[in-house]
């Protein structure tokens, strides 16, 4: 059953899930887990994961092209050792960038566009781990990672632009002698729309943020974690996450804060709002107060305008909480996301879907078969009810091995996860489609001189594959095509016909264009020609043309009507008239009088008459020059 939208509507709607999920890879026991999913503004993207080849873990990417996940490609095929910790990002046009660790060395691999292949992995740094990668709208990317350094570990970074990597000189640590970025203090990075990068990491039990412009880090660092939470003193902070939109002055920073709550220690999921050169003040988002139950799994994502969510789970109940962020990452209140009890960690992810819409995906475990659920906010603010996007036929989902989400500029969304176990392990993706964009017929009215007219329309915008166009004439389906024109295969009746095109995408969501009309007129006009007057040189002759464009049983509005009448006298002169014309031949001879009548559809009727001009007899010549009582109505001269 089609879900039909009105063409031209600008407001975001709830997308419709495709009828079936895509198995990106598997079933196979060689699959380790999903590491990341990226969806760009134009709907291109890819999923990255680890899979054994000959018992050795390697990096694979399934690219998202024209709405379909493609056959996976091994990105690190030239490297002999085992790979780990792959991350992925990209931008429009199918450009994808992957970073990973192999043999303790940090590598990056590039696919420049959707038509190119993967370039050989490029080594960037040794003794590295914990890569984090983000690319902005205009192809500028920032890479943060942990490397061996003084104090045990340092946070380092590199900048990517126009196919070239520029490493940042020296560590980003607040204090070079500290151990920074190790373990749960691993760095995270976001590339903002204005070309600035922001990196967050853990160091000596605190959370720090630093901006970068190109390969030049700022001199200022900012601490996000507070000294206490709701009266409980801080012990330490880790697991940082960061998101920002087009303006790097604002960022959402989430992290896990450990506090001393009475005789016990409690973990909380916190949010702080970075505004230019200061933090606004940290606040918990987990729906808890001081007590024994803690919270975990901080994550955040925003749109280009800074709207989005900060998510975290309660450690005992496993309830999923989210803080809603409005423009420029301003906090606007927290709420519980799951509607059913949770028996295990939800492993939630949030994502933008274009500049407006947002979504949260998580694993729901009620004690039966774990499944992936999603809540979508078409306006970026108000989340829809739960929607199950996984299929139980593939077994229990395993989001602990990977769950990712993303969306394109149209508001389409993709969610990918690990499902099954052992030799039934799969990488699975669900796609949710917005209705095709507005489009229109090439003309709201038209005339066809054939009963099989060619109908044309503009293309409906659709990020994921070309839609199928269904063409109806007078309410009857006559054709389906992926082109933007079609010749009606069945002959149409004469007269004015109404036609309409509906664009249907791969999820069965449809958008109908405005109805249009075509006047079918394949029959030529009826023409009657009468010639009067003397057939002698310089004598006036008259042609009377009566042209009709009517059809039995059809009113006048159902025919195209006579457009032109052309008279060719056969002696080199012609005249366009509607009814009558006059002419005098200058010499004797036989001439072919031709009358051509065309209607507005282009049909024409041609009538030929032979006119013989003879000399004037002597008796008639005597009367020449005497007054005439007839009035000449026009001359072809």
């Amino acid at each position: 059953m089609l879900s039909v939208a009105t063409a031209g509507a600008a407001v975001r709607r709830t997308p419709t899930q495709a009828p079936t999920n895509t198995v990106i890879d598997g079933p196979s026991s060689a699959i380790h887990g999903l590491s990341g999913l990226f969806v760009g503004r134009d709907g291109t993207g890819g999923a990255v994961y680890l899979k054994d080849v000959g018992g050795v873990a390697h990096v694979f990417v399934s690219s998202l092209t024209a709405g379909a996940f493609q056959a996976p490609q091994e990105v690190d095929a030239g490297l002999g050792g085992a790979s780990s910790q792959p991350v992925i990002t990209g931008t429009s046009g199918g450009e994808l960038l992957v970073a990973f660790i192999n043999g303790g060395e940090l590598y990056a691999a590039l696919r420049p566009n959707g038509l190119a292949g993967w370039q050989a992995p490029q080594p960037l740094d040794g003794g590295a781990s914990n890569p984090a990668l983000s690319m902005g709208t205009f192809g500028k990317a920032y890479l943060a990672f942990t490397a061996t350094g003084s104090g045990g570990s340092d946070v380092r970074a590199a900048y990517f632009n126009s196919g070239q990597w520029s490493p940042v000189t020296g560590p980003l640590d607040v204090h070079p002698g500290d151990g920074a970025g190790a373990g749960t203090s691993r760095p995270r990075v976001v590339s903002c729309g204005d070309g600035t990068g922001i990196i967050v990491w853990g160091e000596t039990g605190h959370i720090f943020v630093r901006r970068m412009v190109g390969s030049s880090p700022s001199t200022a660092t900012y601490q996000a974690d507070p000294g206490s939470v709701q009266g409980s003193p801080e012990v330490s902070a880790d697991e940082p996450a960061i998101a920002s939109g087009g303006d790097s002055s604002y960022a959402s920073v989430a992290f896990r804060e450990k506090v001393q709550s009475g005789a016990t220690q409690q973990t909380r999921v916190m949010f702080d709002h970075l505004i230019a050169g200061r933090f606004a003040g940290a606040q918990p988002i987990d729906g808890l107060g001081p007590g024994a139950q803690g919270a975990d799994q901080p994550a955040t994502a925003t749109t280009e305008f800074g709207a989005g969510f900060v998510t975290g789970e309660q450690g005992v109940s496993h309830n999923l909480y989210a803080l809603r962020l409005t423009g420029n990452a301003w906090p606007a209140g927290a709420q519980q996301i799951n509607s059913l009890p949770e028996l295990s960690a939800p492993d939630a992810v949030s994502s933008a879907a274009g500049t407006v819409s947002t979504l949260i995906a998580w694993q729901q475990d009620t004690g039966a078969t774990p499944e992936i659920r999603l809540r979508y906010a078409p306006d970026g603010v108000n989340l829809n009810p739960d929607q199950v996007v996984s299929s139980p036929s593939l077994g229990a989902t395993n989001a602990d091995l990977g769950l990712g989400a993303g969306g394109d500029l149209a508001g389409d969304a993709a969610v990918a996860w690990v499902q099954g176990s052992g030799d039934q392990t799969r990488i699975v993706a669900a796609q949710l489609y917005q209705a095709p964009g507005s489009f229109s017929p090439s003309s709201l009215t038209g005339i066809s001189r054939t009963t099989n007219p060619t109908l044309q329309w503009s293309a409906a915008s659709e990020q994921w594959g070309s839609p199928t166009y269904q063409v109806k004439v007078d309410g009857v389906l006559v054709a389906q095509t992926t082109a933007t024109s079609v010749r009606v295969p069945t002959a149409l009746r004469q007269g004015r016909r109404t036609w309409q095109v509906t664009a249907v995408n791969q999820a069965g969501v449809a958008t109908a264009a405005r109805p249009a009309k075509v006047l079918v007129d394949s029959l030529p006009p009826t023409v009657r020609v009468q010639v009067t007057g003397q057939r002698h040189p310089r004598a006036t002759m008259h042609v009377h043309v009566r042209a009709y464009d009517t059809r039995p049983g059809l009113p006048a509005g159902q025919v195209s009507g006579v457009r032109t009448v052309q008279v060719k006298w056969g002696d080199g002169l012609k005249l366009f008239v509607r009814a009558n014309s006059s002419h005098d031949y200058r010499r004797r001879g036989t001439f072919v009088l031709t009358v051509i009548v065309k209607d507005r559809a282009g049909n024409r009727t041609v009538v030929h008459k032979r006119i013989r001009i003879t000399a004037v007899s002597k008796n008639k010549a005597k009367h020449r020059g005497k007054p005439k009582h007839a009035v000449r109505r026009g001359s072809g001269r």
Side-chain angles (χ1 to χ4, degrees):
M1 182 176 182
L2 297 181
S3 172
V4 182
T6 302
V11 66
R12 289 283 186 265
R13 292 176 168 80
T14 300
T16 300
Q17 185 176 350
T20 58
N21 291 338
T22 299
V23 176
I24 293 175
D25 202 344
S28 173
S29 59
I31 296 173
H32 286 227
L34 176 70
S35 300
L37 173 67
F38 167 77
V39 180
R41 292 166 59 95
D42 64 349
T44 61
V48 65
Y49 59 97
L50 288 173
K51 181 180 179 181
D52 282 345
V53 178
V56 178
H58 284 273
V59 178
F60 285 81
V61 172
S62 170
S63 62
L64 178 59
T65 304
F69 284 95
Q70 306 299 308
Q73 294 180 288
E74 187 177 346
V75 175
D76 61 346
L79 304 177
S83 295
S84 63
Q85 298 183 317
V87 288
I88 189 170
T89 189
T91 190
S92 297
E95 181 176 6
L96 293 176
L97 193 60
V98 170
F100 57 92
I101 306 297
N102 185 283
E105 182 126 11
L106 175 63
Y107 287 86
L110 171 67
R111 189 185 73 170
N113 56 67
L115 300 177
W118 284 93
Q119 298 178 359
Q122 178 180 348
L124 297 179
D125 207 326
S129 63
N130 301 326
L133 185 62
S134 176
M135 180 178 282
T137 304
F138 301 106
K140 298 178 180 180
Y142 291 89
L143 172 64
F145 56 97
T146 306
T148 303
S150 57
S153 59
D154 289 328
V155 174
R156 292 183 173 271
Y159 171 67
F160 175 87
N161 186 29
S162 301
Q164 299 296 320
W165 284 100
S166 301
V168 176
T169 302
L172 300 181
D173 309 4
V174 177
H175 303 291
D178 293 339
T184 56
S185 294
R186 75 287 178 281
R188 291 292 184 262
V189 63
V190 61
S191 181
C192 306
D194 58 14
T196 301
I198 312 177
I199 299 174
V200 62
W201 70 92
E203 181 178 342
T204 63
H206 298 290
I207 303 298
F208 294 98
V209 169
R210 194 169 187 176
R211 291 185 175 91
M212 290 178 55
V213 179
S215 58
S216 301
S218 67
T219 57
T221 56
Y222 310 101
Q223 182 176 334
D225 55 304
S228 64
V229 179
Q230 296 175 334
S232 299
E234 177 190 36
V235 176
S236 63
D238 62 358
E239 294 190 3
I242 191 166
S244 183
D247 188 346
S248 60
S249 298
Y250 305 92
S252 166
V253 177
F255 53 93
R256 182 176 65 175
E257 177 95 341
K258 184 183 292 185
V259 297
Q260 191 69 39
S261 181
T264 62
Q265 292 185 344
Q266 180 189 28
T267 56
R268 305 295 302 273
V269 173
M270 306 291 294
F271 158 79
D272 210 341
H273 187 197
L274 180 63
I275 307 172
R278 65 180 180 87
F279 274 107
Q283 60 178 289
I285 65 94
D286 49 30
L288 301 174
Q293 181 177 195
D296 201 355
Q297 295 188 342
T300 184
T302 66
T303 67
E304 292 179 32
F305 295 104
F309 295 98
V310 180
T311 57
E313 66 123 359
Q314 297 176 344
V316 176
S317 68
H318 300 297
N319 286 329
L320 174 60
Y321 269 75
L323 172 70
R324 181 167 56 88
L325 304 175
T326 60
N328 291 329
W330 289 97
Q335 67 182 104
Q336 183 175 325
I337 300 303
N338 57 301
S339 60
L340 298 176
E342 276 278 14
L343 298 184
S344 62
D347 299 308
V349 294
S350 60
S351 174
T355 57
V356 177
S357 305
T358 54
L359 62 97
I360 300 175
W362 73 97
Q363 180 168 278
Q364 180 70 55
D365 181 7
T366 60
T369 302
E371 60 192 11
I372 302 300
R373 293 195 172 206
L374 175 143
R375 293 185 67 179
Y376 188 96
D379 60 359
V381 176
N382 299 296
L383 289 163
N384 291 334
D386 296 14
Q387 175 182 351
V388 179
V389 295
S390 59
S391 171
S393 63
L394 299 179
T397 59
N398 192 350
D400 189 52
L401 293 181
L403 174 63
D408 63 23
L409 196 60
D412 305 312
V415 182
W417 62 88
V418 177
Q419 191 162 357
S421 60
D423 60 3
Q424 294 301 303
T425 302
R426 296 174 173 87
I427 305 292
V428 184
Q431 291 173 254
L432 294 90
Y433 288 73
Q434 290 284 345
S438 62
F439 66 109
S440 60
S442 57
S443 175
L444 293 178
T445 59
I447 301 176
S448 173
R449 61 179 295 188
T450 172
T451 56
N452 300 94
T454 296
L455 307 176
Q456 296 180 314
W457 54 91
S458 62
S461 60
E462 175 61 58
Q463 303 282 47
W464 284 347
S466 298
T468 297
Y469 296 99
Q470 298 179 347
V471 183
K472 291 184 178 181
V473 177
D474 293 338
V476 178
L477 182 67
V478 297
Q480 295 190 90
T481 180
T482 57
T484 55
S485 67
V486 69
R487 186 172 186 269
V488 178
T490 56
L492 302 182
R493 292 181 292 112
Q494 300 290 315
R496 201 173 299 278
R497 310 267 73 86
T498 299
W499 63 281
Q500 188 173 29
V501 181
T502 299
V504 185
N505 64 22
Q506 296 178 20
V509 188
T511 296
R514 292 178 60 185
K517 294 184 181 297
V518 59
L519 179 59
V520 178
D521 185 355
S522 64
L523 303 177
T526 299
V527 180
R528 295 178 182 176
V529 179
Q530 182 182 14
V531 180
T532 62
Q534 297 182 9
R535 303 191 180 194
H536 304 297
R538 300 186 179 277
T540 299
M541 297 191 64
H542 304 278
V543 63
H544 305 272
V545 180
R546 300 188 68 183
Y548 309 89
D549 195 35
T550 58
R551 306 288 177 265
L554 291 180
Q558 296 289 312
V559 295
S560 64
V562 173
R563 183 174 185 179
T564 61
V565 176
Q566 185 183 45
V567 178
K568 296 182 179 180
W569 293 95
D571 60 352
L573 295 177
K574 60 183 178 181
L575 180 68
F576 289 91
V577 297
R578 282 291 183 187
N580 306 322
S581 64
S582 300
H583 182 67
D584 52 20
Y585 289 94
R586 302 301 181 89
R587 67 183 187 278
R588 293 178 297 172
T590 300
F591 303 91
V592 177
L593 172 71
T594 304
V595 177
I596 303 171
V597 179
K598 293 182 180 179
D599 63 17
R600 288 181 173 83
N603 302 300
R604 72 175 192 167
T605 298
V606 181
V607 177
H608 299 289
K609 283 186 175 292
R610 295 176 65 85
I611 305 295
R612 185 181 179 189
I613 303 300
T614 61
V616 180
S617 66
K618 293 182 178 180
N619 291 333
K620 290 183 179 180
K622 292 179 180 180
H623 298 286
R624 282 190 175 181
K626 293 184 179 181
K628 294 183 178 180
H629 300 287
V631 178
R632 300 185 68 176
R633 295 181 177 271
S635 174
R637 290 177 289 180

